[in-house]
Amino acid sequence: MLNNFFNPKSIAVIGASRTPGKVGYDILKNIIQYGYEGAVYPINPGVPEILGVKTYASLLDVPGRIDLAVVVIPSKNVLEIIGQCGSMKIDSAIIITAGFKESGLEGARLETDLIIKAKEAGVRFIGPNCLGMIDTHSKVNASFAAGMPAKGGIGFFSQSGALCLAVLDRALPDKIGFSKFISMGNKADISDTDIMLALAEDEHTKVILGYIEGVGDGRKFMDVATQVSKKKPVIILKSGITSSGAKAASSHTGALAGREAAFDAAFKQSGIIRAHTINELFNYALAFANQPLPQGPNVAIITNSGGPGILAADACDKSDLKLAPPHKEIVDELRTFLPPVASFYNPVDILGDAGSDRYEKAITTVLKDDKIHGLMVLLTPTATVDVAATAIAVANIANGTDRPILTSFMGKKSIEEAARTLLSYGVPNYSYPEEAVSAMNAMYHYHVWINKPDKQYQGFPGFKEKAVPVFANAKKENRDRFTDSEVHDVLSAYGFALPKSAFARTSEEAVDAAMEIGYPVVMKIVSPQIVHKSDIGGVRVNLNSKQEVEKAFFEITTHLRNIMPAAQIYGVMIQEMVRGGKEIIMGITKDPQFGHMIMFGLGGIYVEVLKDIAFRITPLSREDAHEMIRETKTFPLLRGVRGEAEADIEAIEHSLMILSQMAVDFPQIIEADINPLLVRKRGEGVVAIDARFAIGGE
Ligand code: ADP
Ligand code: MG
């Protein structure tokens, strides 16, 4: 895939320049100077040759076949050149030129025309507004970056050219190996998904690394990522998270930044490893590119000092890794050569006077324990330790085992050389223990992901048709909200249990309804102007008698008349008072890029403050439902604390999937939430106490 980009036999540079410092010069120079062996055709009508290479006045004059066109001319001329590419059967182009969507309305129009033109001409292109592309294996450096990375297994694509430069600059001194470097620019044609698919196929790429600000088609992105991440790790840094970050992103490349929760969910559901900083992106890439995956969560830490060991242990505690205590035989063996004051448990502290041989013995001994899936070696540069010899010892052991070893030799000057040695043997060294732990944890998560069975989506047909008339009626009446009775009808169409309820216009009707339903009852105001009923004192619970119902009716209605004289009061809803259980919230929202998402959280009035909620993109598999519930911090409350009975977690899972089905059935749902959904004891199910729906569009 995209073979003419990555392995072209001939390249034309349209807009090649002989003036050093100009992009058209730098690109040509980069193509020539890093050993590219194919034909190069600089196009420039003004000069006979550049950098010793014969130029052509026009692309049309080139006698040979051209696999790849690199376009560096002003934006107004780009369309014409793409037309020429078409007539010369050149099917691949990199458009470096800026001045398109990122520059405003006119540029955006030009970009639209470019897309149409390229389609007509049969040309696929990277860019515009990009830095170019590098393939270290075919030795193509069709970019204006300063330098050529070493050959290696990391395939990197980036929406930001500047980030490409920063990553390259960081990679060069340590000779961190890359297979490809692709600056995507505005992604007008070739998209993240095209690149991910190409890198998945590329034999030189072991790890796929990306920086994105937004994606075009969220669903497609997820499908492709799910497929690719089962083959190779995909690590992505995504910016534009905070609202100010999102603004910066849209002025940057004009991308529509998706909302944070949606991206987080999409990444999780498609197996993408998310990096949150450039540093993390690198840290993960180095671990994945060089070390085998841990086959389980158990890790051991070997350290020559207490503090860093504790920091690493703390970090493990916050991650999904486990510090397994070593076997008795292992401890016994450690005792034979470690000083008696050493710590034989995990972290194994071999003390500040440890030399490289003590490190070597300790590591070898700990690795005899089969239940250890990965190891982290920490080193503080004490006066006695031979840092260089220890690096060699660790590297040798790492090369002889199929379990991952990451190191954190701390400090700067005294460990710099050792860190380089380690990396040259494929052992990434991290400045701080927490970074090593975080990289190990990311590898463990990936191990879990690739071993997961494919998702099973269970459909729930048959509910939809009962709800169709409700949606149709609201649409006919041009309403974007459901009335209480419509909410009731839709929820019961989908099989949700609801409290018994009746509408009452007068206090007499309210008393009759309460009698009918049975005390105690709940009374709620019914008014088209009121969305949050309890906020305005419109909900009374636990009404136990005729007198209480009459009084509540009088108070609720007068209160609303006093505070909102313009509000229409239709009457009140009398509801069966449901007792026991825990309040949770679940709902549907719509993201502009990924579509419907399902939300789950512990409910009640604090939900908006605590924000302890989880999201998944629809459709939800049972596993998605299972995981999102457990992702919330308050999950243990559902399990029951201090002798409480466990809540019906299975019923919650089922309800989340039903809600997902509802979202699939009715794309016109903009937002819906059930708050609270009361969960009872295990086996007793859930009751939808209150809900609202916002609908629109279709
Ligand atoms: P709103 O969200 O509009 O303020 P709700 O109908 O959710 O109104 O009622 C507010 C709170 O009152 C609920 O969160 C719940 O704690 C309690 N409540 C309401 N209806 C019932 C009921 N039928 N049984 C038990 N508790 C209820
Ligand atoms: Mg409510």
Side-chain angles (χ1 to χ4, degrees):
M1 262 179 94
L2 307 180
N3 203 40
N4 280 345
F5 284 95
F6 300 136
N7 198 5
K9 291 192 193 54
S10 50
I11 307 175
V13 181
I14 300 106
S17 161
R18 65 168 169 187
T19 315
K22 281 201 157 180
V23 175
Y25 174 87
D26 290 343
I27 289 190
L28 184 63
K29 189 161 173 239
N30 273 350
I31 293 175
I32 295 166
Q33 75 177 335
Y34 293 113
Y36 172 62
E37 282 152 13
V40 184
Y41 304 108
I43 312 297
N44 181 328
V47 292
E49 56 89 25
I50 303 170
L51 290 162
V53 184
K54 175 179 159 45
T55 60
Y56 293 83
S58 152
L59 189 59
L60 302 169
D61 297 339
V62 176
R65 255 241 30 81
I66 297 167
D67 283 347
L68 176 66
V70 182
V71 183
V72 212
I73 49 167
S75 56
K76 62 180 190 321
N77 302 328
V78 169
L79 266 69
E80 189 195 336
I81 292 298
I82 292 300
Q84 290 183 8
C85 286
S87 63
M88 294 190 67
K89 304 259 176 306
I90 304 171
D91 63 4
S92 306
I94 299 174
I95 304 176
I96 306 282
T97 310
F100 289 88
K101 190 170 77 181
E102 82 288 356
S103 69
L105 209 60
E106 210 166 303
R109 260 188 230 125
L110 192 60
E111 189 162 310
T112 311
D113 293 344
L114 170 65
I115 295 167
I116 296 167
K117 183 88 192 180
K119 240 193 204 112
E120 277 169 16
V123 180
R124 299 292 320 262
F125 65 93
I126 292 177
N129 180 33
C130 73
L131 192 90
M133 185 222 79
I134 299 173
D135 186 310
T136 56
H137 292 266
S138 58
K139 295 189 221 152
V140 175
N141 186 333
S143 81
F144 58 101
M148 178 80 164
K151 264 190 204 173
I154 305 173
F156 178 58
F157 66 93
S158 169
Q159 192 167 350
S160 151
L163 204 91
C164 276
L165 294 176
V167 167
L168 183 62
D169 199 56
R170 162 82 174 73
L172 288 175
D174 290 341
K175 298 200 179 58
I176 296 170
F178 283 81
S179 55
K180 292 174 179 29
F181 236 89
I182 304 143
S183 162
M184 305 286 294
N186 293 2
K187 304 195 277 198
D189 176 28
I190 291 187
S191 63
D192 306 307
T193 49
D194 294 321
I195 294 294
M196 281 196 275
L197 286 169
L199 292 176
E201 254 184 26
D202 175 41
E203 54 169 340
H204 301 297
T205 301
K206 261 184 83 178
V207 181
I208 301 171
L209 216 61
Y211 166 77
I212 61 172
E213 288 160 3
V215 296
D217 181 341
R219 295 286 168 152
K220 186 167 172 213
F221 181 82
M222 285 181 74
D223 285 348
V224 170
T226 308
Q227 182 191 331
V228 171
S229 66
K230 288 274 175 187
K231 275 180 146 178
K232 294 179 186 179
V234 181
I235 307 167
I236 291 187
L237 174 64
K238 150 88 177 70
S239 70
I241 289 171
T242 54
S243 45
S244 63
K247 266 192 219 103
S250 61
S251 56
H252 191 185
T253 32
L256 266 173
R259 289 180 320 204
E260 157 74 346
F263 270 98
D264 228 29
F267 280 18
K268 267 180 209 143
Q269 283 170 275
S270 42
I272 293 176
I273 300 141
R274 183 167 193 173
H276 294 89
T277 60
I278 302 179
N279 199 36
E280 215 166 69
L281 188 72
F282 248 101
N283 287 346
Y284 291 176
L286 288 178
F288 279 94
N290 292 291
Q291 286 292 307
L293 294 176
Q295 299 300 307
N298 299 332
V299 292
I301 297 168
I302 293 179
T303 176
N304 68 344
S305 53
I310 296 169
L311 286 174
D314 282 350
C316 285
D317 217 43
K318 287 189 205 120
S319 76
D320 291 311
L321 300 174
K322 293 194 175 68
L323 276 181
H327 264 304
K328 186 174 175 311
E329 302 91 83
I330 305 287
V331 174
D332 290 344
E333 191 173 333
L334 288 170
R335 279 189 203 281
T336 61
F337 62 88
L338 290 179
V341 291
S343 167
F344 306 100
Y345 300 94
N346 207 354
V348 178
D349 186 347
I350 61 172
L351 304 181
D353 64 341
S356 62
D357 52 337
R358 203 187 283 168
Y359 262 106
E360 189 175 340
K361 270 186 171 162
I363 297 170
T364 322
T365 308
V366 168
L367 282 179
K368 284 184 189 163
D369 190 340
D370 286 339
K371 68 174 194 306
I372 298 296
H373 302 113
L375 184 71
M376 282 169 287
V377 180
L378 317 182
L379 178 145
T380 307
T382 60
T384 45
V385 70
D386 181 342
V387 181
T390 308
I392 298 279
V394 174
N396 279 329
I397 299 171
N399 284 357
T401 169
D402 55 4
R403 284 173 280 174
I405 298 187
L406 304 179
T407 60
S408 177
F409 286 21
M410 279 165 285
K412 178 96 186 133
K413 215 161 159 233
S414 51
I415 60 96
E416 222 158 30
E417 198 49 48
R420 226 162 263 161
T421 308
L422 281 164
L423 190 61
S424 70
Y425 281 84
V427 181
N429 184 66
Y430 297 96
S431 309
Y432 305 105
E434 301 90 327
E435 294 181 335
V437 172
S438 143
M440 187 71 85
N441 190 43
M443 288 206 286
Y444 168 61
H445 282 170
Y446 186 61
H447 157 80
V448 172
W449 167 255
I450 51 176
N451 287 291
K452 257 186 197 167
D454 283 345
K455 274 187 195 162
Q456 299 295 327
Y457 295 107
Q458 184 184 350
F460 298 92
F463 291 137
K464 179 179 174 179
E465 63 199 42
K466 285 185 244 151
V468 165
V470 186
F471 281 87
N473 190 52
K475 187 179 158 82
K476 204 175 81 200
E477 292 178 7
N478 239 334
R479 275 182 289 112
D480 55 5
R481 305 216 164 248
F482 280 167
T483 62
D484 285 334
S485 74
E486 286 169 337
V487 168
H488 179 278
D489 291 349
V490 168
L491 290 178
S492 53
Y494 276 84
F496 282 95
L498 298 155
K500 269 188 259 166
S501 59
F503 173 66
R505 273 163 304 188
T506 62
S507 107
E508 291 75 38
E509 281 182 18
V511 170
D512 289 347
M515 285 283 280
E516 178 76 30
I517 286 167
Y519 290 107
V521 296
V522 177
M523 182 185 293
K524 301 179 187 181
I525 193 86
V526 178
S527 157
Q529 280 81 31
I530 303 302
V531 185
H532 297 285
K533 300 174 288 291
S534 42
D535 283 359
I536 50 102
V539 178
R540 292 295 172 87
V541 296
N542 205 17
L543 304 174
N544 278 296
S545 63
K546 177 171 182 277
Q547 289 73 19
E548 281 180 30
V549 169
E550 282 168 345
K551 188 161 169 267
F553 185 90
F554 176 74
E555 284 172 0
I556 285 185
T557 48
T558 0
H559 182 63
L560 183 58
R561 262 185 220 110
N562 285 338
I563 58 165
M564 284 179 70
Q568 292 162 275
I569 301 175
Y570 291 167
V572 296
M573 179 82 80
I574 301 294
Q575 256 181 10
E576 164 193 1
M577 167 104 190
V578 186
R579 274 173 294 191
K582 295 209 163 89
E583 295 192 356
I584 59 168
I585 176 171
M586 57 177 67
I588 303 172
T589 61
K590 206 175 203 172
D591 178 80
Q593 278 165 2
F594 293 98
H596 278 140
M597 296 195 284
I598 301 298
M599 182 191 75
F600 165 79
L602 210 69
I605 49 176
Y606 300 125
V607 66
E608 268 147 55
V609 181
L610 298 174
K611 294 204 173 72
D612 186 21
I613 42 183
F615 288 91
R616 287 294 183 277
I617 307 221
T618 57
L620 249 61
S621 64
R622 181 166 286 281
E623 188 185 45
D624 288 328
H626 181 93
E627 279 177 7
M628 71 190 289
I629 297 171
R630 282 152 183 85
E631 203 174 285
T632 57
K633 289 189 211 75
T634 37
F635 172 67
L637 297 184
L638 294 174
R639 270 275 156 77
V641 287
R642 312 215 160 186
E644 272 179 338
E646 185 178 68
D648 198 336
I649 296 168
E650 227 170 277
I652 303 177
E653 278 172 24
H654 182 75
S655 306
L656 288 168
M657 289 193 298
I658 295 285
L659 217 52
S660 161
Q661 180 68 49
M662 191 192 289
V664 170
D665 292 343
F666 296 101
Q668 60 267 54
I669 297 176
I670 296 171
E671 219 167 67
D673 65 46
I674 309 180
N675 183 24
L677 182 73
L678 217 69
V679 200
R680 294 168 143 152
K681 282 205 301 265
R682 197 155 144 190
E684 293 185 359
V686 296
V687 188
I689 300 285
D690 178 40
R692 39 194 138 257
F693 280 78
I695 42 179
E698 304 143 79

